[in-house]
Short mmCIF file of all heavy atoms in Angstrom, two decimals:
data_model
loop_
_atom_site.label_atom_id
_atom_site.label_comp_id
_atom_site.label_asym_id
_atom_site.label_seq_id
_atom_site.Cartn_x
_atom_site.Cartn_y
_atom_site.Cartn_z
N ALA A 21 -16.31 10.30 19.32
CA ALA A 21 -16.01 10.80 20.67
C ALA A 21 -16.81 12.07 20.97
O ALA A 21 -17.32 12.24 22.09
CB ALA A 21 -14.52 11.07 20.79
N VAL A 22 -16.95 12.93 19.98
CA VAL A 22 -17.75 14.16 20.17
C VAL A 22 -19.21 13.81 20.40
O VAL A 22 -19.87 14.40 21.28
CB VAL A 22 -17.57 15.11 18.97
CG1 VAL A 22 -18.58 16.23 18.99
CG2 VAL A 22 -16.16 15.68 18.95
N LEU A 23 -19.74 12.87 19.65
CA LEU A 23 -21.13 12.46 19.86
C LEU A 23 -21.33 11.83 21.24
O LEU A 23 -22.33 12.10 21.92
CB LEU A 23 -21.56 11.46 18.78
CG LEU A 23 -21.83 12.03 17.40
CD1 LEU A 23 -22.24 10.90 16.46
CD2 LEU A 23 -22.90 13.08 17.44
N ALA A 24 -20.41 11.00 21.67
CA ALA A 24 -20.51 10.38 23.00
C ALA A 24 -20.42 11.44 24.09
O ALA A 24 -21.15 11.38 25.08
CB ALA A 24 -19.42 9.33 23.17
N TRP A 25 -19.52 12.41 23.92
CA TRP A 25 -19.38 13.47 24.92
C TRP A 25 -20.65 14.31 24.98
O TRP A 25 -21.14 14.63 26.06
CB TRP A 25 -18.17 14.35 24.58
CG TRP A 25 -18.00 15.49 25.51
CD1 TRP A 25 -17.45 15.44 26.76
CD2 TRP A 25 -18.38 16.85 25.30
NE1 TRP A 25 -17.47 16.69 27.33
CE2 TRP A 25 -18.03 17.57 26.45
CE3 TRP A 25 -18.98 17.51 24.23
CZ2 TRP A 25 -18.29 18.93 26.56
CZ3 TRP A 25 -19.22 18.86 24.34
CH2 TRP A 25 -18.87 19.56 25.49
N GLY A 26 -21.20 14.67 23.83
CA GLY A 26 -22.44 15.45 23.80
C GLY A 26 -23.60 14.69 24.40
O GLY A 26 -24.43 15.26 25.10
N ASP A 27 -23.69 13.40 24.14
CA ASP A 27 -24.75 12.58 24.72
C ASP A 27 -24.60 12.51 26.23
O ASP A 27 -25.60 12.60 26.96
CB ASP A 27 -24.70 11.18 24.11
CG ASP A 27 -25.84 10.31 24.59
OD1 ASP A 27 -26.98 10.81 24.61
OD2 ASP A 27 -25.59 9.14 24.92
N MET A 28 -23.38 12.38 26.70
CA MET A 28 -23.15 12.34 28.15
C MET A 28 -23.53 13.67 28.80
O MET A 28 -24.12 13.70 29.88
CB MET A 28 -21.69 12.02 28.42
CG MET A 28 -21.38 11.83 29.89
SD MET A 28 -19.64 11.49 30.17
CE MET A 28 -18.90 13.03 29.64
N GLN A 29 -23.22 14.77 28.15
CA GLN A 29 -23.52 16.09 28.70
C GLN A 29 -25.03 16.33 28.77
O GLN A 29 -25.53 16.86 29.75
CB GLN A 29 -22.87 17.19 27.85
CG GLN A 29 -21.37 17.18 27.89
CD GLN A 29 -20.83 17.50 29.26
OE1 GLN A 29 -21.33 18.40 29.92
NE2 GLN A 29 -19.83 16.78 29.68
N THR A 30 -25.76 15.95 27.73
CA THR A 30 -27.20 16.21 27.72
C THR A 30 -27.97 15.17 28.52
O THR A 30 -29.02 15.47 29.07
CB THR A 30 -27.74 16.24 26.28
OG1 THR A 30 -27.41 15.02 25.63
CG2 THR A 30 -27.13 17.39 25.51
N ARG A 31 -27.48 13.95 28.61
CA ARG A 31 -28.21 12.90 29.34
C ARG A 31 -28.26 13.20 30.84
O ARG A 31 -29.29 13.00 31.47
CB ARG A 31 -27.55 11.54 29.10
CG ARG A 31 -28.28 10.43 29.81
CD ARG A 31 -27.72 9.11 29.44
NE ARG A 31 -28.01 8.87 28.03
CZ ARG A 31 -27.60 7.79 27.37
NH1 ARG A 31 -26.88 6.89 27.98
NH2 ARG A 31 -27.91 7.62 26.11
N THR A 32 -27.20 13.70 31.41
CA THR A 32 -27.21 13.98 32.85
C THR A 32 -28.17 15.12 33.16
O THR A 32 -28.84 15.09 34.19
CB THR A 32 -25.80 14.34 33.34
OG1 THR A 32 -25.30 15.41 32.57
CG2 THR A 32 -24.86 13.16 33.23
N LYS A 33 -28.28 16.10 32.30
CA LYS A 33 -29.22 17.19 32.53
C LYS A 33 -30.66 16.73 32.37
O LYS A 33 -31.53 17.13 33.12
CB LYS A 33 -28.93 18.34 31.57
CG LYS A 33 -27.63 19.03 31.86
CD LYS A 33 -27.35 20.12 30.86
CE LYS A 33 -25.99 20.73 31.11
NZ LYS A 33 -25.62 21.70 30.10
N GLN A 34 -30.93 15.85 31.40
CA GLN A 34 -32.28 15.36 31.20
C GLN A 34 -32.71 14.46 32.35
O GLN A 34 -33.85 14.51 32.79
CB GLN A 34 -32.38 14.58 29.88
CG GLN A 34 -32.34 15.47 28.66
CD GLN A 34 -32.33 14.66 27.38
OE1 GLN A 34 -32.24 13.44 27.41
NE2 GLN A 34 -32.40 15.35 26.26
N LEU A 35 -31.81 13.63 32.85
CA LEU A 35 -32.16 12.75 33.96
C LEU A 35 -32.39 13.54 35.23
O LEU A 35 -33.24 13.20 36.05
CB LEU A 35 -31.07 11.70 34.17
CG LEU A 35 -30.98 10.62 33.10
CD1 LEU A 35 -29.80 9.71 33.38
CD2 LEU A 35 -32.25 9.82 33.02
#
Side-chain angles (χ1 to χ4, degrees):
V22 168
L23 285 180
W25 178 79
D27 185 45
M28 185 181 65
Q29 294 295 318
T30 56
R31 181 173 293 177
T32 54
K33 291 178 184 175
Q34 286 175 354
L35 289 176

